[in-house]
Amino acid sequence: MLHDKTIFSVSMFTVTFGYIIWLFLKSINKTYLYHYKYSVPYLLGGVVSGISILGIAAAIILDGISGEIFFVLFGLGFMLFSYAESNLDKHIHDADSYKKHRKEMLYFLKYSLLLAIVMFLKNILHQ
């Protein structure tokens, strides 16, 4: 049986997730769609980030699910975004933006790897 708090949480999550999807679709850089090899990691980053947001919300709503892996996936999704943007910047010869997006990509990759290592060590030490 669902409680009022659960119904409220699920409805607020649905509205928020719908708004995030709408913002993502509205802000897609149309240049990516003209260059297939740059659009694949960009759209894949959106899918990975979207799934991880759903997982984080499910972990918050349902207490029995561990949601740490979804934080790693969220970081990897943004790493894919930065990767696609840096490659597109390299393709259109924008060196400053290329360096900025490469730095962001490495930042998200380091964050995800560090979080994955911490999760792995936590699981090993608590067994």
Side-chain angles (χ1 to χ4, degrees):
M1 180 143 205
L2 294 175
H3 296 70
D4 291 336
K5 182 179 178 183
T6 306
I7 292 172
F8 178 74
S9 298
V10 170
S11 61
M12 287 306 296
F13 167 73
T14 305
V15 169
T16 304
F17 187 70
Y19 180 69
I20 290 170
I21 295 281
W22 179 73
L23 284 177
F24 174 71
L25 292 175
K26 187 176 117 178
S27 68
I28 285 180
N29 189 346
K30 302 299 187 255
T31 310
Y32 291 107
L33 301 179
Y34 295 120
H35 304 285
Y36 177 74
K37 63 182 176 180
Y38 306 115
S39 66
V40 170
Y42 188 75
L43 295 175
L44 186 64
V47 169
V48 169
S49 296
I51 290 171
S52 63
I53 289 172
L54 284 173
I56 291 168
I60 291 170
I61 293 171
L62 306 171
D63 292 332
I65 297 176
S66 176
E68 291 104 359
I69 189 70
F70 296 112
F71 286 106
V72 174
L73 288 176
F74 191 72
L76 289 176
F78 275 98
M79 190 237 7
L80 287 170
F81 277 138
S82 296
Y83 173 73
E85 289 187 16
S86 69
N87 284 342
L88 184 65
D89 290 336
K90 185 176 181 181
H91 177 73
I92 60 174
H93 307 294
D94 187 2
D96 293 333
S97 186
Y98 170 76
K99 289 177 185 177
K100 183 186 109 183
H101 286 117
R102 274 295 167 173
K103 188 183 280 187
E104 284 180 357
M105 182 191 78
L106 291 174
Y107 172 75
F108 284 119
L109 183 63
K110 288 175 189 176
Y111 167 76
S112 297
L113 287 175
L114 182 65
L115 191 57
I117 290 169
V118 168
M119 283 178 20
F120 180 72
L121 291 175
K122 179 184 163 192
N123 286 337
I124 288 177
L125 295 176
H126 284 96
Q127 286 183 357

